[in-house]
């Protein structure tokens, strides 16, 4: 038997739509959108529904950062990394000209450009370890929670707690040696910045092809889709590249609606800080919340916070997608070692994200799309964290996926 046939995944079983879960998700999206529109405004409701679209795309394309990096590190399969390069390429083509102009459809816009220093390097490295222990990144945690993963509820709770702790400590970390924020778009100009970024994306994609062929003798191909046409569009699974393009376009839509790119984990710091206040702590005294904008967010409703409403939307969009796919079926038994890894990893994710000025979305995806040097530093540091985290996973009974090597017939 050839290695190709040995490695071929089993076809996906045809399953029915989970109608009750789909109705619940659809109802919550409609009622939530209406309530936000009435209490906050139409644009905030649009951002909530935009979050739902992101959740649906993430779920249907199974667009994971954690698993993509893990299978490349452990098995040199690079399809997920190549899809990320496509996503980033589309994003910079959309973002760079608009950010250079400073406005979109008459509305001021700005990228997520942050300092580069000790806190970013350490925070991103810690986040990378947390990705593998917790079982997901920021976007992955939200969409798998929406998809019914009980284990990822543990990761999310710890993620929120770690984010609050990171917010409490950020003033100390940000005082360590660092460079001022660097925008490659401003320093180099749009065309040179685009050329360099696109060349690096292409180089990374080419490297994954070389290493994958060296390990497996070919590029590993996914199984045939169980659905086609409209059924595949509504119920998935989607090709990774389709998900990559959709995420870049939806991030650009976020920029158009909110004036800044997509982020996730700032909301976790907000939720965790509000919870801290409920148990008698005083997050309002933390330097993190002293500026007028953050202070207003801490004192106001979470529905006024753009990142929060989009995060809620992501969870419900993923719930809808999993119901349409017929895969929403929560399993309540979580082995204790796996649960421990979820909690420890979640704290690492939250703490690391605050120190690094963002996660795989706010720092990596949106940071690079914004032309921020810190986005590239984040990527490198987080990759090495993932490398260590992949090695740690078996200690907690977590799988590291590998295919049989090519050995001929």
């Amino acid at each position: 038997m050839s290695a190709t046939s040995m490695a071929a995944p089993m076809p996906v079983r045809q399953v029915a739509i989970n109608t009750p879960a789909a109705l619940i998700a659809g109802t919550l999206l409609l009622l939530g959108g209406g309530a936000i529109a009435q209490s906050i405004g139409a644009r905030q409701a649009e951002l909530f529904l935009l979050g739902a679209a992101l959740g649906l795309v993430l779920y249907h394309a199974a667009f994971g950062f954690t698993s993509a990096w893990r299978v490349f590190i452990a098995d040199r399969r690079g399809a997920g990394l190549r899809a990320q390069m496509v996503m980033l390429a589309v994003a910079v083509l959309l973002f760079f000209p608009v950010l250079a102009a400073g406005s979109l459809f008459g509305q001021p816009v700005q990228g997520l450009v942050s300092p580069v220093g000790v806190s970013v390097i350490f925070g991103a490295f810690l986040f990378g370890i947390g990705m593998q222990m917790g079982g997901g990144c920021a976007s992955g945690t939200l969409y798998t929670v929406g998809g019914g993963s009980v284990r990822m509820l543990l990761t999310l709770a710890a993620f929120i707690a770690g984010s609050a702790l990171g917010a409490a400590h950020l003033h100390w970390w940000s005082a360590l040696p660092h460079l001022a924020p660097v925008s490659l778009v401003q320093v180099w100009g749009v065309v040179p910045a685009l050329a360099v970024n696109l060349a690096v994306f292409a180089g990374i994609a080419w490297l994954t092809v070389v290493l994958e062929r060296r390990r497996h003798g070919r590029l590993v191909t996914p199984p045939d889709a169980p659905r086609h046409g409209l059924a595949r569009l509504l119920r998935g699974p989607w090709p990774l590249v389709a998900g990559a393009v959709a995420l870049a376009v939806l991030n650009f839509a976020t920029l158009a609606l909110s004036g800044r790119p997509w982020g996730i984990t700032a909301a976790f710091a907000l939720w965790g800080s509000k919870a801290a206040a409920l148990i008698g702590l005083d997050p309002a005294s933390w330097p993190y919340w002293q500026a007028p904008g953050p202070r207003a967010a801490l004192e106001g409703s979470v529905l006024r916070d753009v990142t929060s409403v989009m995060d809620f939307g992501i969870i419900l969009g993923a719930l809808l997608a999993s119901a349409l796919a017929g895969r929403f079926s929560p399993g309540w038994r979580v082995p204790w070692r796996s649960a421990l890894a979820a909690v420890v990893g979640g704290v690492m994710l939250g703490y690391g994200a605050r120190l690094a000025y963002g996660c795989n979305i706010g720092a990596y995806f949106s940071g690079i799309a914004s032309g921020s040097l810190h986005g590239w530093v984040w990527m490198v540091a987080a990759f090495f964290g993932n490398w260590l985290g992949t090695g740690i996973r078996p200690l907690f009974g977590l799988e590291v996926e590998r295919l049989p090597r090519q050995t001929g017939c």
Side-chain angles (χ1 to χ4, degrees):
M1 182 180 292
S2 70
T4 302
S5 60
M6 288 174 61
M10 296 295 291
V12 178
R13 181 171 59 90
Q14 293 284 359
V15 290
I17 293 173
N18 186 325
T19 303
L23 289 174
I24 291 171
T27 300
L28 289 175
L29 285 169
L30 289 173
L31 293 177
I36 293 170
Q38 186 173 25
S39 61
I40 308 299
R43 177 157 295 191
Q44 197 79 339
E46 291 168 359
L47 287 162
F48 170 69
L49 296 177
L50 180 57
L54 286 163
L56 187 141
V57 171
L58 287 164
Y59 190 92
H60 275 342
F63 202 95
F65 293 78
T66 302
S67 59
W69 288 17
R70 181 172 64 250
V71 297
F72 179 73
I73 290 166
D75 204 33
R76 299 298 184 268
R77 283 178 284 151
L81 263 176
R82 291 191 290 277
Q84 291 175 30
M85 295 306 108
V86 171
M87 177 188 73
L88 292 171
V90 174
V92 298
L93 288 168
L94 292 171
F95 275 67
F96 281 12
V98 169
L99 293 175
S103 65
L104 178 61
F105 305 129
Q107 173 178 296
V109 294
Q110 62 180 10
L112 297 179
V113 183
S114 300
V116 177
V118 174
S119 69
V120 171
I121 295 170
F122 179 77
F125 180 76
L126 190 67
F127 189 94
I129 300 172
M131 288 170 71
Q132 296 305 329
M133 292 185 64
C137 52
S139 54
T141 297
L142 290 180
Y143 92 75
T144 50
V145 164
S149 173
V150 174
R151 180 185 187 273
M152 295 307 291
L153 280 172
L154 297 175
T155 299
L156 178 59
F159 205 146
I160 292 168
S163 296
L165 185 62
H169 294 172
L170 182 60
H171 65 285
W172 185 86
W173 286 97
S174 60
L176 296 177
H178 63 275
L179 301 176
V182 176
S183 166
L184 302 180
V185 176
Q186 294 179 358
V187 173
W188 292 343
V190 173
V191 174
L194 276 175
V196 171
N197 276 265
L198 293 174
V200 175
F201 301 149
I204 292 172
W206 171 81
L207 180 62
T208 68
V209 169
V210 170
L211 294 177
E212 185 170 340
R213 284 178 172 162
R214 183 178 298 170
R215 173 68 63 92
H216 298 283
R218 70 198 191 286
L219 295 183
V220 179
T221 55
D224 292 335
R227 308 180 188 94
H228 302 280
L230 182 60
R232 187 178 188 186
L233 178 65
L234 293 177
R235 302 190 61 196
W238 293 3
L240 269 176
V241 171
V245 174
L247 290 175
V249 171
L250 291 173
N251 196 348
F252 189 68
T254 304
L255 180 72
L257 284 174
S258 69
R260 52 99 170 143
W262 179 25
I264 289 179
T265 56
F268 295 172
L270 176 62
W271 305 347
S273 297
K274 284 180 174 289
L278 292 176
I279 61 173
L281 300 179
D282 185 22
S285 66
W286 303 345
Y288 185 90
W289 298 109
Q290 294 307 301
R295 174 56 66 90
L298 183 64
E299 295 175 349
S301 166
V302 293
L303 296 182
R304 293 190 176 276
D305 178 56
V306 167
T307 308
S308 292
V309 297
M310 291 189 69
D311 286 357
F312 299 149
I314 290 171
I315 294 172
L316 292 177
L319 170 59
L320 177 61
S322 68
L324 292 173
R327 297 175 61 189
F328 183 79
S329 181
W332 296 98
R333 297 189 65 178
V334 182
W336 73 267
R337 285 195 298 165
S338 178
L340 177 61
V343 172
V344 174
V347 172
M348 288 181 170
L349 286 164
Y351 197 80
R354 284 307 86 217
L355 269 55
Y357 302 104
C359 58
N360 61 296
I361 299 300
Y364 172 40
F365 180 15
S366 292
I368 290 177
S370 298
S372 178
L373 177 62
H374 105 285
W376 286 105
V377 174
W378 190 99
M379 176 187 179
V380 173
F383 186 82
F384 282 105
N386 274 268
W387 201 297
L388 178 58
T390 297
I392 291 173
R393 281 176 64 88
L395 301 177
F396 293 89
L398 303 175
E399 181 185 13
V400 176
E401 308 89 336
R402 291 182 174 90
L403 295 179
R405 292 201 184 198
Q406 176 75 37
T407 58
C409 295

